[in-house]
Amino acid sequence: HSIERFKKLVYIPPLDKFIFYGDKIITIGKDSALTNIDETMLRAAGITRVEQILFDELYDNIFIRDLRKLFVFNLHTGKFKRLFQRMNFEQSQIALHNNTLIIGSKNGIIFTRITGRGRLSQPIHYPNTKAMAYKNLRDIVPSRDEVLLNTDSGLLAVTIPTKYSDLQDTQTASRYILLLKDGEKLNTITTGDTIYLNTTNNKIQFDLVNPNGVGRLRFQSFIAGIDSGYIELRSDELQSGNIPPGKHYQMTLRAQDDIWVSPDINFVLYKIPTFWQTTMGTALFWSLLITGLGLVVFSIIYYTRKIVSAKHLKKNYLLSLELKAIHAQINPHFIFNTLNTGLYFISENKNEEAYEHISSFSELLRSYIKSSRSKYVTLGEEIDNLENYIALQQSRFENKFSFAIRADEGINTDTTLIPSLLLQPFVENAINHGLLHKESRGHLSVNFISENPEKEIICIIDDDGVGRAKSAQINRGNPNKPRSYGNELIGDLTKLINTDGHLNVHIEYKDKTAPQTGTTVIITIKKVHHDK
């Protein structure tokens, strides 16, 4: 072996071996009945770069200093043990004298008595204070009753103590205090504490008082549920803007300087929410929104009635029918059920569902108001109205049925006009009198077909519910069921449209036969208007 590859060697009498160490580790000598030590064992213990090896002849302990760590290995027990885990041993020196382990570093000098196989007494620490004031320690040499330090400040001498405590402690003797600054408040932190943050200050600062620390202090943090790994803090500051309010988050903080590494400090972060960020505040917001929307709806109905009553007598018949159509779509019972469903979502803390539900209801209201002012709407607008109406009914009845609306490709839904508010009563009947009585999940389909869109549009509304006969039987057995005005409205609207002379509407009902169930309604609209 080339001598340049090894820094030093040490002789282990019980093994009758020399251990050469440096960039590589080899042992030369005879086998022994005691536990052997080789490079594989060192790697398994976490030793990657050996800087020093010392042998204690009294208890057969082998002390091994890695680049940053210190271990003891006992030949009898065959066990490795890491010493002074919170200390960084880079640029440190170790020595043995009179059964005492001496450790020198920028932190100062540590003395600890060897009390057994892999056992040490509580250490005695002489910190690197102004009395010594060195920055670099080159070597330590024990003498009879003192240890000499070769430093950049010259040769120093420290008396070796003679009394040690039997209490074992292989951690550094230095103590520390962790401080937290939140705004103008300064608090100490210990493991298990809860730190309360306010939403106006998104920056908290850490500091650590370590009387024996050397060099710049650095922090690392990890917040469970937010961070994917440890984050190096900049200027000892933690930005808390990404921490959601109202939840508890486990945080781990680590600190280190040039010679010392702190244990993990675990505590809890809690950002205090404002009132509007609490569950009660969110529920109150949605409740006020829904209540306000309800007031707007009822105000629209009230003023629409006043406007209709003031129109010319010649138009009263047509306008009264249009107002009935509005009432069939937006009667107080329907409004109550829709708002009640929204409040249910809020009470279950389903804010996204509540938002979508109220948005669909609001869009449907705007469409109904627009439709009530005109005799005709485009087929595309009518399809949007039906989709919103059916979606609201699905939310109310917890998706008891599915639906699909389709128009032939040859029909231009943007220009084709059909009578306002004509189709919704048929859809309402299919849901209330067919699908809701079905035990299993049902399906509703609305199809618009035409061979000649310029002259005729056919709307087919099909459901697989219980059918009209079964629905009538069920309703007769329920005297408390509210009266439905859908069929009356259909008759009034059909009469009005056919009397007007521009269009002709024909309605055909088909009851399915077993094993099929449900009803098919075919609505034929002839002489279709188009928006030029």
Side-chain angles (χ1 to χ4, degrees), residues 379 383 386 404-408 411 423 443-450 457-462 521-523:
L379 182 57
I383 290 175
L386 291 177
I405 300 178
R406 186 185 65 84
D408 282 351
I411 303 175
L423 302 180
H443 181 73
L444 172 67
S445 65
V446 181
N447 294 318
F448 296 92
I449 62 175
S450 178
I457 291 289
I458 299 176
C459 176
I460 302 174
I461 300 176
D462 181 88
V521 183
I522 303 173
I523 306 162

Side-chain angles (χ1 to χ4, degrees), residues 463-482:
D463 69 79
D464 60 355
V466 298
R468 294 191 296 168
K470 181 67 174 179
S471 176
Q473 180 183 354
I474 294 173
N475 291 334
R476 282 196 299 270
N478 184 10
N480 296 322
K481 183 174 180 63

Side-chain angles (χ1 to χ4, degrees), residues 10-55:
V10 62
Y11 177 66
I12 310 296
L15 298 179
D16 194 17
K17 287 188 177 182
F18 287 95
I19 298 179
F20 294 82
Y21 59 92
D23 295 335
K24 291 185 176 182
I25 303 171
I26 65 169
T27 57
I28 300 177
K30 301 177 182 179
D31 292 334
S32 170
L34 296 174
T35 302
N36 205 345
I37 182 171
D38 56 25
E39 185 174 2
T40 302
M41 294 178 61
L42 295 177
R43 296 289 184 261
I47 302 172
T48 58
R49 178 178 169 182
V50 175
E51 296 291 328
Q52 274 185 278
I53 296 179
L54 300 178
F55 178 66

